Amino acid sequence: TQEQELAESYKVKGYPTLIFFKKGSPIDYSGGRQADDIVAWLKKKTGPPALEVSSAEQAKELIAANNVIIFGFFPDQDSEKAKVFLNTAGLVDDQVFAIVSDEKLVEELEAQAEDVVLYKTFEDPRNKYEGEEFSEDTLKSWVFVQSMPTIVEFSHETASKIFGGQIKYHLLLFLSKKNGDFEKY
Protein backbone atom coordinates (compact mmCIF):
# COMPACT_ATOMS: atom_id res chain seq x y z
CA THR A 1 0.00 0.00 0.00
CA GLN A 2 2.98 2.31 0.51
CA GLU A 3 4.61 1.67 -2.88
CA GLN A 4 1.73 2.42 -5.25
CA GLU A 5 3.91 2.97 -8.35
CA LEU A 6 5.71 -0.33 -7.79
CA ALA A 7 2.39 -2.13 -7.25
CA GLU A 8 0.97 -0.63 -10.44
CA SER A 9 4.05 -1.58 -12.48
CA TYR A 10 3.51 -5.25 -11.52
CA LYS A 11 -0.28 -5.03 -11.88
CA VAL A 12 -0.97 -5.79 -8.21
CA LYS A 13 -4.73 -5.64 -7.76
CA GLY A 14 -5.16 -6.99 -4.23
CA TYR A 15 -3.30 -7.78 -1.06
CA PRO A 16 -1.55 -9.97 -0.16
CA THR A 17 0.02 -10.60 -3.57
CA LEU A 18 3.15 -12.68 -4.00
CA ILE A 19 5.40 -12.25 -7.02
CA PHE A 20 8.48 -14.43 -7.41
CA PHE A 21 11.43 -13.17 -9.43
CA LYS A 22 13.63 -15.65 -11.24
CA LYS A 23 16.59 -14.18 -13.13
CA GLY A 24 14.82 -10.83 -13.05
CA SER A 25 11.57 -12.13 -14.56
CA PRO A 26 8.41 -11.90 -12.44
CA ILE A 27 6.31 -15.04 -11.92
CA ASP A 28 2.88 -14.63 -10.36
CA TYR A 29 2.24 -16.88 -7.38
CA SER A 30 -0.35 -19.51 -8.27
CA GLY A 31 -0.35 -21.73 -5.18
CA GLY A 32 -2.56 -22.08 -2.14
CA ARG A 33 -2.77 -19.77 0.86
CA GLN A 34 -1.44 -22.14 3.52
CA ALA A 35 2.21 -21.99 4.63
CA ASP A 36 2.85 -25.55 3.33
CA ASP A 37 1.48 -24.60 -0.10
CA ILE A 38 3.71 -21.52 -0.29
CA VAL A 39 6.81 -23.46 0.76
CA ALA A 40 6.08 -26.26 -1.75
CA TRP A 41 5.57 -23.71 -4.54
CA LEU A 42 8.85 -21.95 -3.71
CA LYS A 43 10.77 -25.23 -3.59
CA LYS A 44 9.36 -26.09 -7.00
CA LYS A 45 10.45 -22.73 -8.44
CA THR A 46 13.93 -22.73 -6.90
CA GLY A 47 14.94 -26.38 -7.25
CA PRO A 48 15.00 -28.93 -10.04
CA PRO A 49 11.60 -29.73 -11.57
CA ALA A 50 11.90 -33.39 -10.50
CA LEU A 51 13.77 -34.96 -7.59
CA GLU A 52 16.52 -37.42 -8.57
CA VAL A 53 15.81 -40.80 -6.98
CA SER A 54 18.83 -43.03 -6.46
CA SER A 55 17.51 -45.87 -4.26
CA ALA A 56 14.39 -47.94 -3.65
CA GLU A 57 14.36 -46.72 -0.04
CA GLN A 58 14.33 -43.11 -1.16
CA ALA A 59 11.49 -43.86 -3.60
CA LYS A 60 9.43 -45.56 -0.87
CA GLU A 61 10.03 -42.64 1.52
CA LEU A 62 8.91 -40.12 -1.12
CA ILE A 63 5.79 -42.14 -1.92
CA ALA A 64 4.92 -42.39 1.79
CA ALA A 65 5.61 -38.68 2.45
CA ASN A 66 3.39 -37.29 -0.35
CA ASN A 67 -0.35 -37.63 -0.95
CA VAL A 68 0.47 -37.59 -4.66
CA ILE A 69 3.83 -38.00 -6.38
CA ILE A 70 4.61 -38.61 -10.05
CA PHE A 71 7.59 -40.75 -11.02
CA GLY A 72 9.23 -40.75 -14.43
CA PHE A 73 11.41 -43.74 -15.22
CA PHE A 74 13.91 -42.50 -17.79
CA PRO A 75 17.33 -44.13 -18.10
CA ASP A 76 18.04 -41.58 -20.86
CA GLN A 77 17.12 -38.12 -19.52
CA ASP A 78 17.87 -36.63 -22.93
CA SER A 79 15.10 -38.60 -24.66
CA GLU A 80 12.10 -36.68 -26.00
CA LYS A 81 9.75 -38.29 -23.45
CA ALA A 82 12.09 -37.42 -20.57
CA LYS A 83 12.19 -33.80 -21.73
CA VAL A 84 8.38 -33.69 -21.90
CA PHE A 85 8.20 -35.20 -18.40
CA LEU A 86 10.67 -32.66 -16.95
CA ASN A 87 8.95 -29.74 -18.70
CA THR A 88 5.60 -30.88 -17.32
CA ALA A 89 7.15 -31.19 -13.85
CA GLY A 90 8.22 -27.57 -14.14
CA LEU A 91 4.71 -26.48 -15.15
CA VAL A 92 2.74 -28.31 -12.44
CA ASP A 93 3.31 -26.37 -9.24
CA ASP A 94 1.13 -28.28 -6.81
CA GLN A 95 2.56 -31.81 -7.20
CA VAL A 96 5.93 -33.41 -6.52
CA PHE A 97 7.73 -35.10 -9.41
CA ALA A 98 10.62 -37.57 -9.19
CA ILE A 99 12.83 -39.10 -11.86
CA VAL A 100 14.61 -42.46 -11.83
CA SER A 101 17.52 -42.95 -14.25
CA ASP A 102 19.20 -46.12 -12.97
CA GLU A 103 17.99 -49.06 -15.11
CA LYS A 104 18.31 -51.56 -12.24
CA LEU A 105 16.28 -49.28 -9.97
CA VAL A 106 13.62 -48.92 -12.67
CA GLU A 107 13.23 -52.72 -12.65
CA GLU A 108 13.38 -52.90 -8.86
CA LEU A 109 10.49 -50.43 -8.67
CA GLU A 110 8.46 -52.64 -11.05
CA ALA A 111 8.49 -50.19 -13.92
CA GLN A 112 9.82 -50.06 -17.45
CA ALA A 113 11.92 -47.47 -19.23
CA GLU A 114 9.89 -44.36 -20.14
CA ASP A 115 6.99 -45.22 -17.80
CA VAL A 116 5.29 -42.42 -15.92
CA VAL A 117 3.54 -43.56 -12.73
CA LEU A 118 1.45 -41.50 -10.32
CA TYR A 119 1.38 -42.80 -6.74
CA LYS A 120 -1.27 -41.58 -4.32
CA THR A 121 -2.49 -42.32 -0.82
CA PHE A 122 -6.15 -42.69 -1.79
CA GLU A 123 -8.23 -44.82 -4.15
CA ASP A 124 -6.03 -46.68 -6.66
CA PRO A 125 -2.52 -46.09 -5.21
CA ARG A 126 -0.56 -46.72 -8.47
CA ASN A 127 -1.60 -45.26 -11.82
CA LYS A 128 0.50 -45.68 -14.96
CA TYR A 129 0.16 -43.16 -17.78
CA GLU A 130 -1.21 -45.00 -20.80
CA GLY A 131 -2.28 -42.16 -23.06
CA GLU A 132 -1.64 -42.42 -26.78
CA GLU A 133 -0.14 -38.94 -26.99
CA PHE A 134 2.78 -37.95 -24.75
CA SER A 135 2.83 -34.16 -24.62
CA GLU A 136 3.03 -31.57 -21.87
CA ASP A 137 -0.69 -30.81 -22.20
CA THR A 138 -1.87 -34.42 -22.08
CA LEU A 139 0.50 -35.35 -19.25
CA LYS A 140 -0.50 -32.24 -17.27
CA SER A 141 -4.21 -33.04 -17.70
CA TRP A 142 -3.64 -36.67 -16.71
CA VAL A 143 -1.77 -35.60 -13.55
CA PHE A 144 -4.58 -33.21 -12.61
CA VAL A 145 -7.33 -35.80 -13.08
CA GLN A 146 -5.45 -38.65 -11.35
CA SER A 147 -4.43 -36.48 -8.40
CA MET A 148 -8.01 -35.57 -7.52
CA PRO A 149 -10.08 -37.96 -5.41
CA THR A 150 -13.37 -39.03 -6.97
CA ILE A 151 -15.19 -37.41 -4.04
CA VAL A 152 -13.86 -34.10 -2.75
CA GLU A 153 -15.20 -32.23 0.24
CA PHE A 154 -15.83 -28.63 -0.79
CA SER A 155 -13.78 -26.06 1.10
CA HIS A 156 -11.94 -22.81 0.48
CA GLU A 157 -8.76 -24.81 -0.27
CA THR A 158 -10.39 -27.26 -2.70
CA ALA A 159 -12.68 -24.83 -4.54
CA SER A 160 -10.06 -23.68 -7.06
CA LYS A 161 -9.02 -27.27 -7.81
CA ILE A 162 -12.62 -28.40 -8.23
CA PHE A 163 -13.85 -25.59 -10.44
CA GLY A 164 -10.63 -24.19 -11.91
CA GLY A 165 -9.15 -27.36 -13.40
CA GLN A 166 -9.57 -29.50 -16.47
CA ILE A 167 -12.59 -31.37 -15.08
CA LYS A 168 -15.54 -29.34 -16.35
CA TYR A 169 -18.52 -31.48 -15.29
CA HIS A 170 -19.32 -32.10 -11.64
CA LEU A 171 -21.91 -33.95 -9.65
CA LEU A 172 -22.62 -32.06 -6.44
CA LEU A 173 -23.95 -33.73 -3.30
CA PHE A 174 -24.93 -31.56 -0.36
CA LEU A 175 -24.76 -33.22 3.06
CA SER A 176 -24.97 -31.79 6.53
CA LYS A 177 -22.19 -32.70 8.94
CA LYS A 178 -24.64 -32.10 11.78
CA ASN A 179 -26.82 -35.11 10.89
CA GLY A 180 -24.12 -37.55 12.00
CA ASP A 181 -24.09 -39.65 8.81
CA PHE A 182 -21.61 -37.51 6.81
CA GLU A 183 -18.75 -40.06 6.97
CA LYS A 184 -21.09 -42.87 5.92
CA TYR A 185 -21.75 -41.16 2.60
Side-chain angles (χ1 to χ4, degrees):
T1 58
Q2 293 177 341
E3 300 290 337
Q4 290 296 321
E5 277 185 43
L6 184 62
E8 286 177 25
S9 69
Y10 288 104
K11 298 177 178 76
V12 173
K13 293 181 174 49
Y15 301 95
T17 295
L18 297 176
I19 301 174
F20 179 76
F21 290 85
K22 189 168 187 174
K23 296 181 182 176
S25 298
I27 301 169
D28 288 334
Y29 176 71
S30 58
R33 294 196 169 264
Q34 302 301 318
D36 291 345
D37 297 331
I38 296 169
V39 170
W41 190 87
L42 283 170
K43 283 183 177 178
K44 192 77 173 207
K45 294 298 179 196
T46 57
L51 303 169
E52 288 273 350
V53 176
S54 56
S55 70
E57 295 78 31
Q58 181 188 10
K60 289 173 185 166
E61 287 172 9
L62 285 169
I63 291 167
N66 293 282
N67 285 334
V68 175
I69 185 166
I70 302 92
F71 273 73
F73 298 94
F74 296 100
D76 177 11
Q77 287 193 28
D78 292 325
S79 72
E80 284 305 309
K81 282 190 172 182
K83 289 177 184 174
V84 168
F85 176 80
L86 291 169
N87 288 341
T88 304
L91 295 171
V92 178
D93 293 331
D94 57 346
Q95 300 301 344
V96 177
F97 285 72
I99 191 162
V100 177
S101 299
D102 184 294
E103 290 182 36
K104 290 178 184 173
L105 186 55
V106 171
E107 287 180 31
E108 190 176 340
L109 294 171
E110 299 176 5
Q112 296 178 349
E114 300 201 332
D115 278 357
V116 174
V117 180
L118 182 141
Y119 297 92
K120 56 188 175 182
T121 58
F122 53 91
E123 297 167 1
D124 187 11
R126 186 180 195 278
N127 298 271
K128 180 180 168 186
Y129 180 79
E130 295 179 350
E132 290 180 27
E133 182 183 345
F134 197 85
S135 68
E136 290 170 15
D137 288 339
T138 57
L139 192 56
K140 192 170 139 181
S141 294
W142 177 80
V143 166
F144 179 82
V145 170
Q146 293 300 319
S147 64
M148 290 287 290
T150 304
I151 298 174
V152 180
E153 183 176 348
F154 182 81
S155 68
H156 180 67
E157 289 81 31
T158 61
S160 63
K161 285 189 176 186
I162 295 170
F163 297 112
Q166 283 93 358
I167 302 171
K168 299 298 179 199
Y169 300 101
H170 308 279
L171 177 62
L172 304 177
L173 174 63
F174 295 92
L175 294 173
S176 171
K177 285 188 171 182
K178 294 177 184 173
N179 286 348
D181 58 359
F182 181 79
E183 291 302 320
K184 174 182 156 187
Y185 292 103

